[in-house]
Amino acid sequence: MKKTILFIAICFAIISCKNETKTTETAMKTEEAKQEVAYASFGKKINDADALTSERMMEHYKTMKEGDTINSKVKAKIIEVCSAKGCWMTLDMDGKNEVMVKFKDYGFFMPLNAEGDVVVNGKAFVSETSVEELRHYAEDAGKTKEEIEAITEPKRTYSFEADGVLLKQ
């Protein structure tokens, strides 16, 4: 009887040690994954899973007509952020094209010094931006009076309304 109880106690000890090791290994892997990419989150809580590359998103933009929208999540690099209050930013898509990103219902803003890589989630669309609006953006970006006055034609713009943004730390 004593041998049976001792045998059962040893089995429980071995089983409990084995499970604890798995839990510790899982926790370590989870922690390593978190350390791989750290993001500051703005707006709606999102993750970076399934985000399109900027080049892939540019392929979609080129097939769109004015008025079309696509729900998407995109990884890209910041070119510029509104220097007045962080209410918009531009992203580099392929080295030749950029996307103007505004934030849904002005519900959040980006840090004025934001730079680097971001993941944006929301709606992509194509629009034509008026001369007046282009001049306003140039003014917000701190452009000179001569640069602002040089804007004389509307521009076909690749745009994005973001409901959530992840800024790579």
Side-chain angles (χ1 to χ4, degrees), residues 4 8-10 33 40 58 80 90 114 140 144 154 168:
T4 306
I8 292 172
I10 291 173
M58 199 62 226
E80 185 176 31
T90 56
D140 283 352
T144 66
K168 189 174 182 180

Side-chain angles (χ1 to χ4, degrees), residues 33-142:
K34 286 180 185 177
Q35 289 177 358
E36 286 179 20
V37 180
Y39 291 106
S41 181
F42 301 90
K44 176 181 167 184
K45 298 294 181 198
I46 63 171
N47 60 46
D48 63 351
D50 303 325
L52 298 173
T53 64
S54 55
E55 293 81 9
R56 179 77 175 112
M57 187 64 211
M58 199 62 226
E59 292 173 18
H60 290 293
Y61 272 120
K62 289 180 179 177
T63 63
M64 295 171 69
K65 301 179 297 214
E66 189 172 340
D68 290 347
T69 62
I70 299 174
N71 290 326
S72 58
K73 188 186 305 182
V74 182
K75 289 182 182 182
K77 185 171 182 69
I78 296 174
I79 296 174
E80 185 176 31
V81 175
C82 171
S83 63
K85 58 184 172 181
C87 57
W88 56 263
M89 66 181 168
T90 56
L91 303 178
D92 179 27
M93 296 309 279
D94 59 5
K96 296 178 254 174
N97 295 291
E98 60 185 49
V99 170
M100 169 62 83
V101 179
K102 294 183 183 178
F103 309 111
K104 186 173 182 176
D105 301 326
Y106 284 98
F108 60 97
F109 301 109
M110 293 299 291
L112 301 181
N113 62 348
E115 58 184 23
D117 296 324
V118 292
V119 176
V120 293
N121 185 76
K123 292 183 181 186
F125 59 98
V126 176
S127 62
E128 186 170 287
T129 307
S130 69
V131 171
E132 183 179 301
E133 195 169 356
L134 288 170
R135 286 182 174 179
H136 173 76
Y137 294 147
E139 186 178 321
D140 283 352

Side-chain angles (χ1 to χ4, degrees), residues 135-154:
R135 286 182 174 179
H136 173 76
Y137 294 147
E139 186 178 321
D140 283 352
K143 303 287 183 191
T144 66
K145 186 174 182 174
E146 293 78 27
E147 290 174 309
I148 294 170
E149 290 175 355
I151 300 170
T152 59
E153 295 182 19

Side-chain angles (χ1 to χ4, degrees), residues 16-30:
S16 65
C17 289
K18 204 172 200 181
N19 287 341
E20 188 174 320
T21 304
K22 287 182 182 177
T23 305
T24 304
E25 288 176 10
T26 304
M28 287 174 56
K29 287 179 183 176
T30 303

